[in-house]
Amino acid sequence: MSGQQIKPGKFLTLEGTEGVGKTTNRQFIQDWLEARNIPLLVTREPGGTPLAEEIRELLLQKRAEAVDATAELLLVFAARAQHVNTLIRPALAAGKWVLCDRFTDATYAYQGAGRGLPLNTIEQLENMVQGVLRPDLTLVLDIEVEAGLQRAGERADLDRFESEELAFFQRVRAGYHARAAAAPERYRLVDAGQNLTAVQDDIEAILEGLL
C-alpha cells in the first residue's frame, strides 16, 4: 500500500575495551543480518561521515600537546552530532537497521569512567545531540584488560587511546559493567575471552532473540 508507514529500523551498537574483537564480530553480525535480508547500514564512532572521520583522526592522533579531557569530550559529541543527524537518523527512518561500532556508551566508559568527567555532563550532551535516540540493543564484548591489551599490541601501531595506562582501561571496563548492570534490558555482556566460535555462538543467540 502506497500510504503504508515505514517501520523504523533497529539500532544496534557494539562496545568493548581494546582487543575484544569488535572488527571481527561486527563483520559476523553484518553477515548474519544480511543473510536474513535485513536492510543494513554499518558504521562506526567516532566517524561515519567525512566530517566525523576527520574529527576521528584528530582524536586518535598522538601529539606532543596534552589533550584536555573536556576538549576530547566535545570533539566526540561534535562528530556524533554530524553522524546521528546526517546518517543514523535517516537510515533508521528509511527502515534500515543500523549497526554501529561504538556509540555513546563508549563516551560514558572512556571519557566518564576513564577520564573522570562528570556523568551528568555527558548525559546533558547526549540529550542535546541525540534527543530520545538510544540503541535498541548494545552488545558489550568483555575481556580481562590485560588479555585485551595483549591482543591489541599484536596489531599495528597503537593510537592515542590504545597507548593509555592499564588503570585507565580497568576504569573503562568497570564503566561498561556499570552501564550494563543499570539497564539489563538493553545490554548484553558477551565473554570475549572465549574462543571465537563460542563468542559468535553467544552473539547469534542474542540476535535470534532480537528477531
Side-chain angles (χ1 to χ4, degrees), residues 131-149:
V132 298
L133 177 66
R134 301 293 183 274
D136 295 290
L137 172 69
T138 297
L139 291 168
V140 181
L141 299 176
D142 183 58
I143 196 172
E144 292 289 339
V145 171
E146 293 88 344
L149 289 176

Side-chain angles (χ1 to χ4, degrees), residues 37-94:
N37 297 315
I38 292 172
L40 183 66
L41 168 71
V42 181
T43 187
R44 68 176 181 176
E45 285 217 346
T49 79
L51 173 58
E53 289 288 338
E54 288 184 42
I55 299 172
R56 177 189 180 90
E57 291 303 314
L58 288 174
L59 284 162
L60 298 187
Q61 183 181 350
K62 290 181 180 178
R63 61 187 73 243
E65 178 185 8
V67 178
D68 177 76
T70 301
E72 181 180 277
L73 175 67
L74 293 172
L75 282 170
V76 167
F77 270 106
R80 182 163 297 135
Q82 184 72 8
H83 190 206
V84 164
N85 291 314
T86 65
L87 196 67
I88 294 177
R89 284 191 197 281
L92 293 171

Side-chain angles (χ1 to χ4, degrees), residues 128-172:
M128 182 178 77
V129 167
Q130 297 167 220
V132 298
L133 177 66
R134 301 293 183 274
D136 295 290
L137 172 69
T138 297
L139 291 168
V140 181
L141 299 176
D142 183 58
I143 196 172
E144 292 289 339
V145 171
E146 293 88 344
L149 289 176
Q150 183 176 352
R151 287 184 186 178
E154 294 167 357
R155 301 199 303 259
D157 292 341
L158 300 181
D159 63 35
R160 188 172 66 85
F161 283 94
E162 292 168 338
S163 303
E164 285 287 347
E165 60 188 18
L166 180 67
F168 172 81
F169 293 110
Q170 289 171 334
R171 294 193 298 272
V172 170

Side-chain angles (χ1 to χ4, degrees), residues 94-115:
K96 288 185 178 181
W97 287 35
V98 175
L99 172 60
C100 190
D101 182 342
R102 298 200 191 282
F103 196 60
T104 310
D105 289 299
T107 310
Y108 281 99
Y110 280 78
Q111 283 73 42
R115 302 278 189 231

Side-chain angles (χ1 to χ4, degrees), residues 172-193:
V172 170
R173 186 185 184 211
Y176 276 126
H177 280 211
R179 299 280 294 166
E185 68 282 358
R186 172 156 79 88
Y187 297 87
R188 299 291 183 273
L189 277 173
V190 177
D191 180 3

